[in-house]
Amino acid sequence: MLHQLPAPPVTLPTAAPLSSFAEAVAADSTLPDDDRRWLIGERDRLLDDFQGLAFPLGAGLIQGDAYPGNTLWDDDRVLLGDWDEPAWGPRELDLANTIQGGIRFGRTPAELDAFTTAYGYDPRDWTGIDTLVRIRDLHTLGSFLRRAGNGDAAAAAELRRRMQSLRYNDRSSERPDHAARRSCARPSATVFRPGRAGWRPTRAS
């Protein structure tokens, strides 16, 4: 699996969750001031908690945005795409993205069980997973903040809905239209393996 690979032959940045989130919130012109203050306070609280976590899986190469929506399927061939945020950091950061999908977007317990069984570790049993899931919650707001600021009415409506969910700790936010669209029928254990010409994506084993 990806997390079992040796260090890549390049220098990776250290994982820095929510590193540009404060700037995205500051640039927003659609949310009430109280919501923006809450977001910055929540970011600061979560990053303080993050610094105090002990990570059972240790640090290594992480993709940074690994979740089933970033997998590309061609029959049984699976690739992991969207490599905009690779870093060296706690491996649990990659796993939390899919766990968050179960809390927020209707991924079923059976799907999460299949995912964690394939991986060989279940982060739901770890005390730090709630912090990482909440960090992921804020991370997913970034694109909606930018799009809402550019006049995207649908993004602004989704941003408001997610803000209500986060501020009032409502974790029952699954919507039928979202469930119908999500590309999570088969949670992936996609890997990137080194080949003769360098690192190459290949199907999950």
Side-chain angles (χ1 to χ4, degrees):
M1 292 190 297
L2 169 65
H3 290 171
Q4 294 176 339
L5 291 173
V10 294
T11 300
L12 293 171
T14 300
L18 302 176
S19 58
S20 61
F21 185 74
E23 290 82 357
V25 173
D28 172 73
S29 60
T30 63
L31 289 175
D33 289 344
D34 185 55
D35 278 349
R36 288 197 293 271
R37 284 192 294 269
W38 182 86
L39 285 171
I40 295 302
E42 181 73 351
R43 169 194 177 271
D44 293 346
R45 181 186 71 81
L46 290 170
L47 292 182
D48 283 345
D49 288 350
F50 178 79
Q51 293 302 320
L53 294 178
F55 296 95
L57 297 177
L61 168 66
I62 60 174
Q63 194 262 3
D65 195 20
Y67 78 110
N70 276 339
T71 55
L72 306 174
W73 293 79
D74 180 10
D75 194 16
D76 287 334
R77 185 169 182 261
V78 187
L79 304 181
L80 179 60
D82 196 2
W83 282 78
D84 292 335
E85 304 176 61
W88 190 266
R91 295 177 174 95
E92 287 85 354
L93 280 170
D94 274 349
L95 304 184
N97 302 341
T98 296
I99 302 303
Q100 187 247 10
I103 294 170
R104 291 290 182 198
F105 303 118
R107 199 172 309 288
T108 67
E111 288 174 320
L112 294 180
D113 289 345
F115 170 75
T116 57
T117 297
Y119 185 85
Y121 173 75
D122 192 340
R124 292 173 293 180
D125 298 328
W126 171 56
T127 57
I129 191 61
D130 184 67
T131 295
L132 299 195
V133 164
R134 291 175 185 272
I135 286 174
R136 178 68 176 178
D137 284 338
L138 296 192
H139 180 277
T140 63
L141 297 181
S143 65
F144 294 103
L145 285 165
R146 290 187 291 273
R147 288 159 49 198
N150 289 328
D152 186 329
E158 179 66 9
L159 178 60
R160 290 192 297 270
R161 188 189 72 82
R162 293 192 182 205
M163 280 300 307
Q164 287 294 310
S165 174
L166 293 176
R167 289 204 65 173
Y168 296 101
N169 201 30
D170 174 12
R171 294 199 161 187
S172 59
S173 58
E174 165 74 350
R175 298 181 304 170
D177 60 323
H178 187 103
R181 292 195 310 268
R182 62 192 172 92
S183 55
C184 64
R186 294 178 287 183
S188 172
T190 306
V191 298
F192 272 60
R193 291 198 173 94
R196 292 183 179 178
W199 285 44
R200 63 181 179 84
T202 186
R203 62 171 290 181
S205 57

